[in-house]
């Protein structure tokens, strides 16, 4: 059974940084496709970043500020978030898939089969 556990969220002032972690268990981590999404109150869940094979994808809102990485030895992915803005406030979710669906983009939540419980990130102005 796959489990994804996020950590690292919290309250930070605008301009600050946070590093989110997502620890995975239950399947061979090194062959997984991993993503980060976020959902703010009253808004739909939106794509933030993904690692597919060795390529990293970032949403336009994350480019230049966020970095996603993975450590296969630790079965963990990270989302380093710098220059945080109040509009980054949301619950951040880690997602995983092991089968790449044809015709579904990695920025689409339907690409992923497993989700973590989320971690709250709050950026104060």
């Amino acid at each position: 059974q796959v489990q994804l556990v996020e950590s690292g969220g919290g309250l930070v002032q605008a301009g600050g940084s946070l590093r989110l972690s997502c620890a995975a268990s239950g399947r061979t981590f090194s062959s997984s496709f991993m993503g980060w999404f976020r959902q703010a109150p009253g808004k739909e869940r939106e794509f933030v970043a993904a690692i597919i094979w060795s390529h990293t994808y970032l949403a336009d809102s994350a480019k230049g500020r966020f970095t996603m990485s993975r450590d296969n030895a630790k079965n963990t992915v990270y989302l380093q978030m710098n220059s945080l803005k109040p509009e980054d406030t949301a619950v951040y979710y880690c997602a995983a898939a092991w089968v790449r669906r044809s015709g579904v983009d990695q920025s689409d939540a339907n690409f992923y089969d497993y989700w973590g419980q989320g971690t709250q990130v709050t950026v104060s102005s």
Side-chain angles (χ1 to χ4, degrees), residues 36-99:
W36 285 99
F37 286 73
R38 67 186 183 186
Q39 188 166 19
K43 295 188 177 181
E44 292 187 355
R45 190 169 298 192
E46 65 173 359
F47 171 74
V48 177
I51 288 182
I52 307 298
W53 302 121
S54 60
H55 193 85
T56 302
Y57 299 83
L58 291 170
D60 288 344
S61 60
K63 290 177 181 176
R65 301 187 300 128
F66 295 3
T67 304
M68 184 175 180
S69 61
R70 68 189 298 160
D71 185 337
N72 288 336
K74 295 183 178 180
N75 291 353
T76 301
V77 291
Y78 304 97
L79 185 67
Q80 177 67 44
M81 305 187 294
N82 300 326
S83 302
L84 283 162
K85 306 174 182 179
E87 50 263 45
D88 294 318
T89 295
V91 177
Y92 283 70
Y93 297 91
C94 175
W98 273 262
V99 176

Short mmCIF file of all heavy atoms in Angstrom, two decimals, residues 36-99:
data_model
loop_
_atom_site.label_atom_id
_atom_site.label_comp_id
_atom_site.label_asym_id
_atom_site.label_seq_id
_atom_site.Cartn_x
_atom_site.Cartn_y
_atom_site.Cartn_z
N TRP A 36 3.76 17.88 -7.09
CA TRP A 36 3.25 18.74 -6.01
C TRP A 36 2.10 19.56 -6.57
O TRP A 36 2.21 20.15 -7.66
CB TRP A 36 4.33 19.68 -5.49
CG TRP A 36 5.37 19.06 -4.62
CD1 TRP A 36 6.62 18.67 -4.98
CD2 TRP A 36 5.25 18.78 -3.22
NE1 TRP A 36 7.29 18.15 -3.91
CE2 TRP A 36 6.48 18.21 -2.80
CE3 TRP A 36 4.25 18.94 -2.27
CZ2 TRP A 36 6.71 17.80 -1.49
CZ3 TRP A 36 4.48 18.55 -0.97
CH2 TRP A 36 5.70 17.99 -0.59
N PHE A 37 1.04 19.63 -5.80
CA PHE A 37 -0.11 20.46 -6.11
C PHE A 37 -0.43 21.30 -4.88
O PHE A 37 0.06 21.01 -3.77
CB PHE A 37 -1.33 19.60 -6.47
CG PHE A 37 -1.25 18.96 -7.83
CD1 PHE A 37 -0.39 17.91 -8.06
CD2 PHE A 37 -2.02 19.41 -8.87
CE1 PHE A 37 -0.30 17.31 -9.32
CE2 PHE A 37 -1.95 18.83 -10.13
CZ PHE A 37 -1.08 17.78 -10.34
N ARG A 38 -1.26 22.31 -5.07
CA ARG A 38 -1.71 23.10 -3.93
C ARG A 38 -3.15 23.50 -4.13
O ARG A 38 -3.65 23.59 -5.26
CB ARG A 38 -0.82 24.33 -3.73
CG ARG A 38 -0.92 25.37 -4.84
CD ARG A 38 0.10 26.47 -4.62
NE ARG A 38 0.00 27.52 -5.63
CZ ARG A 38 0.84 28.54 -5.73
NH1 ARG A 38 1.88 28.65 -4.88
NH2 ARG A 38 0.66 29.45 -6.67
N GLN A 39 -3.81 23.76 -3.01
CA GLN A 39 -5.19 24.20 -3.05
C GLN A 39 -5.42 25.27 -2.00
O GLN A 39 -5.24 25.01 -0.80
CB GLN A 39 -6.15 23.03 -2.83
CG GLN A 39 -7.61 23.38 -3.05
CD GLN A 39 -8.49 22.16 -3.17
OE1 GLN A 39 -8.13 21.06 -2.75
NE2 GLN A 39 -9.67 22.33 -3.75
N ALA A 40 -5.80 26.44 -2.46
CA ALA A 40 -6.12 27.55 -1.57
C ALA A 40 -7.63 27.52 -1.28
O ALA A 40 -8.40 26.97 -2.07
CB ALA A 40 -5.73 28.87 -2.21
N PRO A 41 -8.04 28.13 -0.16
CA PRO A 41 -9.47 28.14 0.17
C PRO A 41 -10.32 28.72 -0.95
O PRO A 41 -10.01 29.79 -1.48
CB PRO A 41 -9.52 29.01 1.43
CG PRO A 41 -8.16 28.88 2.03
CD PRO A 41 -7.22 28.77 0.88
N GLY A 42 -11.37 27.99 -1.32
CA GLY A 42 -12.27 28.48 -2.35
C GLY A 42 -11.76 28.34 -3.77
O GLY A 42 -12.42 28.80 -4.71
N LYS A 43 -10.59 27.72 -3.93
CA LYS A 43 -10.01 27.58 -5.27
C LYS A 43 -9.80 26.11 -5.60
O LYS A 43 -9.77 25.25 -4.73
CB LYS A 43 -8.68 28.33 -5.36
CG LYS A 43 -8.82 29.84 -5.22
CD LYS A 43 -7.51 30.53 -5.50
CE LYS A 43 -7.66 32.04 -5.44
NZ LYS A 43 -6.37 32.73 -5.76
N GLU A 44 -9.63 25.85 -6.88
CA GLU A 44 -9.37 24.48 -7.31
C GLU A 44 -7.91 24.10 -7.04
O GLU A 44 -7.04 24.96 -6.94
CB GLU A 44 -9.67 24.34 -8.81
CG GLU A 44 -11.16 24.48 -9.15
CD GLU A 44 -11.42 24.18 -10.60
OE1 GLU A 44 -10.46 23.96 -11.37
OE2 GLU A 44 -12.60 24.17 -10.99
N ARG A 45 -7.70 22.80 -6.95
CA ARG A 45 -6.32 22.32 -6.78
C ARG A 45 -5.54 22.65 -8.04
O ARG A 45 -6.02 22.46 -9.16
CB ARG A 45 -6.33 20.82 -6.54
CG ARG A 45 -5.01 20.25 -6.13
CD ARG A 45 -5.15 18.81 -5.64
NE ARG A 45 -6.01 18.72 -4.46
CZ ARG A 45 -6.10 17.61 -3.73
NH1 ARG A 45 -5.42 16.52 -4.06
NH2 ARG A 45 -6.91 17.58 -2.69
N GLU A 46 -4.31 23.15 -7.86
CA GLU A 46 -3.51 23.54 -9.01
C GLU A 46 -2.13 22.91 -8.96
O GLU A 46 -1.56 22.67 -7.89
CB GLU A 46 -3.39 25.06 -9.12
CG GLU A 46 -2.64 25.72 -7.99
CD GLU A 46 -2.42 27.22 -8.24
OE1 GLU A 46 -2.85 27.73 -9.30
OE2 GLU A 46 -1.80 27.87 -7.38
N PHE A 47 -1.60 22.67 -10.13
CA PHE A 47 -0.28 22.08 -10.29
C PHE A 47 0.80 23.06 -9.85
O PHE A 47 0.72 24.26 -10.13
CB PHE A 47 -0.08 21.71 -11.76
CG PHE A 47 1.31 21.29 -12.12
CD1 PHE A 47 1.79 20.05 -11.74
CD2 PHE A 47 2.14 22.13 -12.85
CE1 PHE A 47 3.07 19.66 -12.08
CE2 PHE A 47 3.41 21.75 -13.19
CZ PHE A 47 3.89 20.52 -12.81
N VAL A 48 1.83 22.52 -9.19
CA VAL A 48 2.97 23.32 -8.79
C VAL A 48 4.24 22.83 -9.48
O VAL A 48 4.97 23.60 -10.10
CB VAL A 48 3.17 23.31 -7.26
CG1 VAL A 48 4.42 24.10 -6.88
CG2 VAL A 48 1.94 23.85 -6.56
N ALA A 49 4.53 21.52 -9.35
CA ALA A 49 5.77 20.98 -9.89
C ALA A 49 5.66 19.47 -10.04
O ALA A 49 4.82 18.84 -9.39
CB ALA A 49 6.95 21.33 -8.98
N ALA A 50 6.52 18.92 -10.88
CA ALA A 50 6.57 17.47 -11.06
C ALA A 50 7.95 17.04 -11.50
O ALA A 50 8.69 17.83 -12.12
CB ALA A 50 5.53 17.01 -12.08
N ILE A 51 8.30 15.82 -11.15
CA ILE A 51 9.52 15.20 -11.67
C ILE A 51 9.09 13.95 -12.41
O ILE A 51 8.51 13.03 -11.81
CB ILE A 51 10.52 14.84 -10.56
CG1 ILE A 51 11.16 16.11 -10.00
CG2 ILE A 51 11.60 13.92 -11.09
CD1 ILE A 51 12.20 15.87 -8.94
N ILE A 52 9.37 13.93 -13.71
CA ILE A 52 9.05 12.80 -14.57
C ILE A 52 10.37 12.31 -15.15
O ILE A 52 11.02 13.04 -15.89
CB ILE A 52 8.08 13.20 -15.69
CG1 ILE A 52 6.84 13.89 -15.11
CG2 ILE A 52 7.71 11.96 -16.52
CD1 ILE A 52 6.03 13.04 -14.18
N TRP A 53 10.74 11.05 -14.79
CA TRP A 53 12.08 10.56 -15.08
C TRP A 53 13.07 11.57 -14.51
O TRP A 53 13.07 11.81 -13.32
CB TRP A 53 12.27 10.35 -16.58
CG TRP A 53 11.28 9.38 -17.18
CD1 TRP A 53 10.40 9.64 -18.19
CD2 TRP A 53 11.03 8.02 -16.80
NE1 TRP A 53 9.63 8.54 -18.45
CE2 TRP A 53 9.99 7.54 -17.62
CE3 TRP A 53 11.58 7.18 -15.84
CZ2 TRP A 53 9.51 6.23 -17.52
CZ3 TRP A 53 11.10 5.87 -15.74
CH2 TRP A 53 10.07 5.42 -16.58
N SER A 54 13.92 12.18 -15.29
CA SER A 54 14.91 13.11 -14.75
C SER A 54 14.54 14.56 -15.04
O SER A 54 15.32 15.47 -14.75
CB SER A 54 16.29 12.80 -15.34
OG SER A 54 16.25 12.92 -16.74
N HIS A 55 13.36 14.76 -15.60
CA HIS A 55 12.97 16.12 -15.99
C HIS A 55 12.04 16.72 -14.95
O HIS A 55 11.12 16.07 -14.47
CB HIS A 55 12.28 16.11 -17.35
CG HIS A 55 12.13 17.47 -17.94
ND1 HIS A 55 13.12 18.07 -18.68
CD2 HIS A 55 11.12 18.36 -17.88
CE1 HIS A 55 12.71 19.27 -19.07
NE2 HIS A 55 11.50 19.47 -18.60
N THR A 56 12.28 17.98 -14.63
CA THR A 56 11.44 18.70 -13.68
C THR A 56 10.56 19.70 -14.42
O THR A 56 11.03 20.41 -15.31
CB THR A 56 12.31 19.45 -12.66
OG1 THR A 56 13.14 18.52 -11.97
CG2 THR A 56 11.43 20.17 -11.64
N TYR A 57 9.30 19.72 -14.05
CA TYR A 57 8.34 20.65 -14.63
C TYR A 57 7.85 21.59 -13.52
O TYR A 57 7.61 21.15 -12.40
CB TYR A 57 7.14 19.89 -15.20
CG TYR A 57 7.50 18.92 -16.30
CD1 TYR A 57 7.96 17.64 -16.00
CD2 TYR A 57 7.38 19.28 -17.64
CE1 TYR A 57 8.29 16.75 -17.00
CE2 TYR A 57 7.70 18.38 -18.65
CZ TYR A 57 8.15 17.12 -18.33
OH TYR A 57 8.48 16.24 -19.33
N LEU A 58 7.71 22.85 -13.84
CA LEU A 58 7.24 23.84 -12.87
C LEU A 58 6.11 24.65 -13.47
O LEU A 58 6.14 25.01 -14.66
CB LEU A 58 8.37 24.79 -12.48
CG LEU A 58 9.52 24.21 -11.65
CD1 LEU A 58 10.65 25.22 -11.55
CD2 LEU A 58 9.05 23.82 -10.27
N ALA A 59 5.12 24.96 -12.63
CA ALA A 59 4.08 25.88 -13.04
C ALA A 59 4.68 27.27 -13.23
O ALA A 59 5.71 27.60 -12.62
CB ALA A 59 2.98 25.93 -11.98
N ASP A 60 4.06 28.07 -14.06
CA ASP A 60 4.58 29.42 -14.29
C ASP A 60 4.72 30.20 -12.99
O ASP A 60 5.68 30.95 -12.81
CB ASP A 60 3.67 30.18 -15.26
CG ASP A 60 3.78 29.66 -16.69
OD1 ASP A 60 4.76 28.96 -17.00
OD2 ASP A 60 2.87 29.97 -17.49
N SER A 61 3.79 29.98 -12.06
CA SER A 61 3.82 30.70 -10.79
C SER A 61 5.00 30.27 -9.92
O SER A 61 5.36 30.98 -8.97
CB SER A 61 2.52 30.47 -10.04
OG SER A 61 2.33 29.09 -9.78
N ALA A 62 5.59 29.12 -10.23
CA ALA A 62 6.69 28.59 -9.42
C ALA A 62 8.06 28.84 -10.04
O ALA A 62 9.07 28.77 -9.33
CB ALA A 62 6.49 27.09 -9.21
N LYS A 63 8.10 29.11 -11.30
CA LYS A 63 9.38 29.28 -11.99
C LYS A 63 10.18 30.43 -11.40
O LYS A 63 9.66 31.52 -11.16
CB LYS A 63 9.16 29.49 -13.48
CG LYS A 63 8.66 28.24 -14.20
CD LYS A 63 8.37 28.51 -15.67
CE LYS A 63 7.85 27.24 -16.34
NZ LYS A 63 7.47 27.49 -17.75
N GLY A 64 11.44 30.17 -11.16
CA GLY A 64 12.32 31.19 -10.60
C GLY A 64 12.29 31.28 -9.09
O GLY A 64 13.12 31.97 -8.50
N ARG A 65 11.31 30.60 -8.46
CA ARG A 65 11.20 30.66 -7.00
C ARG A 65 11.22 29.29 -6.35
O ARG A 65 11.74 29.13 -5.24
CB ARG A 65 9.90 31.38 -6.61
CG ARG A 65 9.79 32.79 -7.13
CD ARG A 65 8.56 33.50 -6.54
NE ARG A 65 7.32 32.80 -6.87
CZ ARG A 65 6.41 32.45 -5.96
NH1 ARG A 65 6.60 32.71 -4.69
NH2 ARG A 65 5.30 31.84 -6.34
N PHE A 66 10.62 28.30 -6.99
CA PHE A 66 10.51 26.95 -6.41
C PHE A 66 11.43 25.99 -7.15
O PHE A 66 11.66 26.12 -8.36
CB PHE A 66 9.08 26.44 -6.52
CG PHE A 66 8.05 27.19 -5.73
CD1 PHE A 66 8.37 28.32 -4.99
CD2 PHE A 66 6.74 26.76 -5.73
CE1 PHE A 66 7.41 29.01 -4.27
CE2 PHE A 66 5.76 27.42 -5.00
CZ PHE A 66 6.09 28.56 -4.29
N THR A 67 11.91 25.01 -6.41
CA THR A 67 12.72 23.93 -6.99
C THR A 67 12.22 22.61 -6.44
O THR A 67 12.03 22.47 -5.23
CB THR A 67 14.20 24.11 -6.62
OG1 THR A 67 14.66 25.39 -7.05
CG2 THR A 67 15.05 23.02 -7.29
N MET A 68 12.03 21.65 -7.34
CA MET A 68 11.65 20.31 -6.89
C MET A 68 12.81 19.36 -7.10
O MET A 68 13.50 19.43 -8.13
CB MET A 68 10.43 19.81 -7.69
CG MET A 68 9.92 18.46 -7.21
SD MET A 68 8.42 17.97 -8.08
CE MET A 68 8.09 16.38 -7.29
N SER A 69 13.03 18.49 -6.13
CA SER A 69 14.11 17.52 -6.24
C SER A 69 13.67 16.22 -5.59
O SER A 69 12.64 16.16 -4.91
CB SER A 69 15.38 18.06 -5.58
OG SER A 69 15.16 18.30 -4.20
N ARG A 70 14.45 15.19 -5.81
CA ARG A 70 14.15 13.90 -5.20
C ARG A 70 15.43 13.24 -4.72
O ARG A 70 16.51 13.45 -5.29
CB ARG A 70 13.41 12.98 -6.18
CG ARG A 70 14.21 12.49 -7.36
CD ARG A 70 13.31 11.77 -8.37
NE ARG A 70 12.68 10.59 -7.79
CZ ARG A 70 11.58 10.01 -8.30
NH1 ARG A 70 11.00 10.52 -9.39
NH2 ARG A 70 11.08 8.93 -7.74
N ASP A 71 15.28 12.44 -3.67
CA ASP A 71 16.38 11.65 -3.13
C ASP A 71 15.89 10.21 -3.08
O ASP A 71 15.15 9.83 -2.17
CB ASP A 71 16.78 12.15 -1.74
CG ASP A 71 18.00 11.44 -1.19
OD1 ASP A 71 18.30 10.31 -1.63
OD2 ASP A 71 18.65 12.00 -0.31
N ASN A 72 16.27 9.44 -4.07
CA ASN A 72 15.77 8.07 -4.15
C ASN A 72 16.26 7.21 -2.99
O ASN A 72 15.59 6.25 -2.60
CB ASN A 72 16.17 7.44 -5.49
CG ASN A 72 15.39 8.03 -6.65
OD1 ASN A 72 14.28 8.55 -6.48
ND2 ASN A 72 15.96 7.96 -7.84
N ALA A 73 17.41 7.53 -2.45
CA ALA A 73 17.93 6.77 -1.31
C ALA A 73 17.06 6.96 -0.08
O ALA A 73 17.00 6.08 0.79
CB ALA A 73 19.36 7.17 -1.02
N LYS A 74 16.38 8.10 -0.01
CA LYS A 74 15.53 8.40 1.14
C LYS A 74 14.05 8.28 0.81
O LYS A 74 13.19 8.59 1.66
CB LYS A 74 15.82 9.81 1.66
CG LYS A 74 17.22 9.98 2.22
CD LYS A 74 17.43 11.38 2.79
CE LYS A 74 18.82 11.50 3.40
NZ LYS A 74 19.05 12.86 3.96
N ASN A 75 13.74 7.87 -0.41
CA ASN A 75 12.33 7.76 -0.84
C ASN A 75 11.57 9.06 -0.60
O ASN A 75 10.41 9.04 -0.16
CB ASN A 75 11.63 6.61 -0.11
CG ASN A 75 12.15 5.25 -0.53
OD1 ASN A 75 12.95 5.13 -1.46
ND2 ASN A 75 11.71 4.22 0.15
N THR A 76 12.19 10.15 -0.91
CA THR A 76 11.63 11.46 -0.58
C THR A 76 11.78 12.44 -1.73
O THR A 76 12.80 12.43 -2.43
CB THR A 76 12.33 12.02 0.67
OG1 THR A 76 12.14 11.11 1.76
CG2 THR A 76 11.76 13.38 1.06
N VAL A 77 10.74 13.25 -1.93
CA VAL A 77 10.84 14.40 -2.82
C VAL A 77 10.72 15.67 -1.99
O VAL A 77 10.13 15.65 -0.90
CB VAL A 77 9.76 14.40 -3.93
CG1 VAL A 77 10.00 13.28 -4.92
CG2 VAL A 77 8.37 14.36 -3.36
N TYR A 78 11.27 16.72 -2.54
CA TYR A 78 11.30 17.99 -1.83
C TYR A 78 10.76 19.10 -2.74
O TYR A 78 10.86 19.03 -3.96
CB TYR A 78 12.74 18.35 -1.43
CG TYR A 78 13.41 17.31 -0.60
CD1 TYR A 78 14.26 16.36 -1.17
CD2 TYR A 78 13.20 17.25 0.78
CE1 TYR A 78 14.88 15.39 -0.41
CE2 TYR A 78 13.82 16.27 1.55
CZ TYR A 78 14.65 15.35 0.94
OH TYR A 78 15.26 14.38 1.71
N LEU A 79 10.21 20.11 -2.11
CA LEU A 79 9.83 21.32 -2.81
C LEU A 79 10.43 22.48 -2.03
O LEU A 79 9.96 22.81 -0.95
CB LEU A 79 8.31 21.46 -2.90
CG LEU A 79 7.83 22.65 -3.73
CD1 LEU A 79 8.19 22.46 -5.20
CD2 LEU A 79 6.32 22.85 -3.59
N GLN A 80 11.49 23.04 -2.58
CA GLN A 80 12.12 24.20 -1.98
C GLN A 80 11.42 25.44 -2.50
O GLN A 80 11.39 25.67 -3.71
CB GLN A 80 13.61 24.25 -2.33
CG GLN A 80 14.33 25.47 -1.81
CD GLN A 80 14.42 25.49 -0.29
OE1 GLN A 80 14.71 24.48 0.34
NE2 GLN A 80 14.16 26.65 0.31
N MET A 81 10.86 26.22 -1.59
CA MET A 81 10.09 27.40 -1.97
C MET A 81 10.77 28.63 -1.42
O MET A 81 10.90 28.79 -0.20
CB MET A 81 8.66 27.28 -1.44
CG MET A 81 7.95 26.01 -1.89
SD MET A 81 6.21 25.98 -1.42
CE MET A 81 6.34 25.92 0.36
N ASN A 82 11.21 29.50 -2.30
CA ASN A 82 11.86 30.75 -1.92
C ASN A 82 11.01 31.94 -2.36
O ASN A 82 10.10 31.79 -3.19
CB ASN A 82 13.24 30.83 -2.57
CG ASN A 82 14.15 29.70 -2.15
OD1 ASN A 82 14.11 29.22 -1.02
ND2 ASN A 82 15.01 29.26 -3.07
N SER A 83 11.33 33.09 -1.82
CA SER A 83 10.62 34.32 -2.18
C SER A 83 9.11 34.13 -2.12
O SER A 83 8.37 34.50 -3.05
CB SER A 83 11.03 34.78 -3.59
OG SER A 83 12.42 34.97 -3.67
N LEU A 84 8.66 33.56 -1.04
CA LEU A 84 7.25 33.24 -0.90
C LEU A 84 6.38 34.50 -0.86
O LEU A 84 6.79 35.54 -0.34
CB LEU A 84 7.02 32.39 0.34
CG LEU A 84 7.42 30.92 0.17
CD1 LEU A 84 7.59 30.24 1.52
CD2 LEU A 84 6.39 30.18 -0.67
N LYS A 85 5.19 34.35 -1.43
CA LYS A 85 4.23 35.45 -1.51
C LYS A 85 2.94 35.04 -0.79
O LYS A 85 2.65 33.84 -0.67
CB LYS A 85 3.91 35.75 -2.97
CG LYS A 85 5.12 36.03 -3.84
CD LYS A 85 4.71 36.18 -5.31
CE LYS A 85 5.91 36.41 -6.20
NZ LYS A 85 5.51 36.53 -7.64
N PRO A 86 2.16 36.01 -0.34
CA PRO A 86 0.89 35.65 0.31
C PRO A 86 0.01 34.77 -0.59
O PRO A 86 -0.71 33.90 -0.07
CB PRO A 86 0.25 37.01 0.56
CG PRO A 86 1.41 37.93 0.75
CD PRO A 86 2.45 37.45 -0.22
N GLU A 87 0.08 34.95 -1.89
CA GLU A 87 -0.74 34.13 -2.79
C GLU A 87 -0.26 32.69 -2.89
O GLU A 87 -0.91 31.86 -3.51
CB GLU A 87 -0.80 34.75 -4.19
CG GLU A 87 0.54 35.12 -4.78
CD GLU A 87 0.87 36.60 -4.56
OE1 GLU A 87 0.68 37.11 -3.44
OE2 GLU A 87 1.36 37.22 -5.54
N ASP A 88 0.87 32.37 -2.27
CA ASP A 88 1.32 30.97 -2.20
C ASP A 88 0.64 30.22 -1.05
O ASP A 88 0.82 29.01 -0.91
CB ASP A 88 2.83 30.91 -2.01
CG ASP A 88 3.60 31.43 -3.20
OD1 ASP A 88 3.21 31.12 -4.34
OD2 ASP A 88 4.59 32.17 -2.98
N THR A 89 -0.12 30.94 -0.24
CA THR A 89 -0.82 30.31 0.87
C THR A 89 -1.80 29.27 0.36
O THR A 89 -2.65 29.55 -0.48
CB THR A 89 -1.56 31.37 1.70
OG1 THR A 89 -0.60 32.24 2.30
CG2 THR A 89 -2.41 30.71 2.78
N ALA A 90 -1.65 28.04 0.86
CA ALA A 90 -2.48 26.93 0.40
C ALA A 90 -2.11 25.67 1.18
O ALA A 90 -1.10 25.65 1.89
CB ALA A 90 -2.27 26.67 -1.09
N VAL A 91 -2.90 24.65 1.00
CA VAL A 91 -2.51 23.31 1.43
C VAL A 91 -1.76 22.68 0.26
O VAL A 91 -2.26 22.68 -0.87
CB VAL A 91 -3.71 22.44 1.82
CG1 VAL A 91 -3.25 21.04 2.19
CG2 VAL A 91 -4.48 23.09 2.96
N TYR A 92 -0.56 22.19 0.53
CA TYR A 92 0.27 21.60 -0.50
C TYR A 92 0.20 20.07 -0.40
O TYR A 92 0.38 19.50 0.69
CB TYR A 92 1.71 22.08 -0.35
CG TYR A 92 1.90 23.49 -0.86
CD1 TYR A 92 1.35 24.58 -0.18
CD2 TYR A 92 2.61 23.74 -2.03
CE1 TYR A 92 1.49 25.87 -0.66
CE2 TYR A 92 2.77 25.03 -2.51
CZ TYR A 92 2.20 26.08 -1.82
OH TYR A 92 2.35 27.37 -2.30
N TYR A 93 -0.03 19.45 -1.54
CA TYR A 93 -0.18 18.00 -1.62
C TYR A 93 0.90 17.38 -2.48
O TYR A 93 1.23 17.89 -3.56
CB TYR A 93 -1.54 17.64 -2.22
CG TYR A 93 -2.73 18.09 -1.42
CD1 TYR A 93 -3.32 19.33 -1.65
CD2 TYR A 93 -3.27 17.27 -0.42
CE1 TYR A 93 -4.43 19.74 -0.92
CE2 TYR A 93 -4.37 17.68 0.31
CZ TYR A 93 -4.94 18.91 0.07
OH TYR A 93 -6.03 19.32 0.80
N CYS A 94 1.38 16.27 -2.03
CA CYS A 94 2.29 15.44 -2.79
C CYS A 94 1.47 14.37 -3.51
O CYS A 94 0.47 13.86 -2.96
CB CYS A 94 3.28 14.79 -1.81
SG CYS A 94 4.40 13.61 -2.53
N ALA A 95 1.88 14.03 -4.73
CA ALA A 95 1.16 13.03 -5.51
C ALA A 95 2.14 12.11 -6.21
O ALA A 95 3.26 12.53 -6.53
CB ALA A 95 0.26 13.72 -6.53
N ALA A 96 1.71 10.88 -6.47
CA ALA A 96 2.60 9.90 -7.09
C ALA A 96 1.84 9.03 -8.09
O ALA A 96 0.64 8.77 -7.94
CB ALA A 96 3.23 9.01 -6.02
N ALA A 97 2.59 8.58 -9.07
CA ALA A 97 2.07 7.62 -10.05
C ALA A 97 3.22 6.72 -10.47
O ALA A 97 4.39 7.13 -10.44
CB ALA A 97 1.48 8.33 -11.26
N TRP A 98 2.86 5.50 -10.90
CA TRP A 98 3.88 4.59 -11.40
C TRP A 98 3.61 4.19 -12.85
O TRP A 98 4.44 3.53 -13.46
CB TRP A 98 3.93 3.33 -10.53
CG TRP A 98 4.85 3.51 -9.36
CD1 TRP A 98 6.16 3.10 -9.27
CD2 TRP A 98 4.54 4.17 -8.12
NE1 TRP A 98 6.66 3.47 -8.06
CE2 TRP A 98 5.70 4.11 -7.32
CE3 TRP A 98 3.41 4.80 -7.61
CZ2 TRP A 98 5.76 4.66 -6.05
CZ3 TRP A 98 3.47 5.34 -6.35
CH2 TRP A 98 4.62 5.28 -5.57
N VAL A 99 2.47 4.59 -13.36
CA VAL A 99 2.12 4.32 -14.74
C VAL A 99 1.83 5.64 -15.41
O VAL A 99 1.00 6.42 -14.94
CB VAL A 99 0.88 3.40 -14.84
CG1 VAL A 99 0.49 3.21 -16.31
CG2 VAL A 99 1.15 2.06 -14.17
#
